[in-house]
Amino acid sequence: MTKIVQDIAYVRSGDKGDVCTAGLIARAPADYAALKASVTPAAVKSLYGDWVRGDVHCYPMDNIEAVVVVMERALGGGATKTLRLDQTGKSLGHALLRLPVVG
């Protein structure tokens, strides 16, 4: 069975304007290397397609075994401007848990 990020990480996320930020925290220290390999800008862009129109940045945080993902132009203009249903940072952050685990 193919593992997904949900199997190895927790997520916390939020939004500010048109930027979504999500922190993926490894469930165990042994999962951190796979988390870093699996959560990349290319993988995130592939998951969301044209929903994320700006850059994606993935910042490893070795001290807490987490990866912070910042998605620019990801919320259809922001919560007060978009016509998308359920597009806030919390929804987009939880969708990251569907990424396949590499390795």
Side-chain angles (χ1 to χ4, degrees):
M1 184 164 98
T2 303
K3 281 179 128 179
I4 58 173
V5 169
Q6 179 176 324
D7 298 325
I8 64 168
Y10 302 99
V11 66
R12 297 287 297 168
S13 56
D15 52 78
K16 192 64 97 173
D18 203 15
V19 177
C20 176
T21 304
L24 295 158
I25 305 105
R27 290 180 182 268
D31 295 328
Y32 182 53
L35 181 64
K36 284 196 299 186
S38 303
V39 181
T40 65
V44 172
K45 289 283 263 188
S46 177
L47 177 68
Y48 292 114
D50 65 358
W51 270 49
V52 176
R53 296 190 173 176
D55 291 334
V56 173
H57 307 278
C58 297
Y59 300 101
M61 301 188 73
D62 297 338
N63 60 328
I64 60 170
E65 297 166 338
V67 176
V68 174
V69 179
V70 178
M71 296 172 272
E72 299 173 7
R73 297 180 56 217
L75 299 171
T80 60
K81 294 181 180 181
T82 187
L83 296 177
R84 292 181 189 170
L85 178 64
D86 202 20
Q87 55 69 50
T88 64
K90 188 173 297 283
S91 297
L92 289 181
H94 277 80
L96 289 170
L97 295 173
R98 297 188 333 234
L99 285 170
V101 172
V102 174

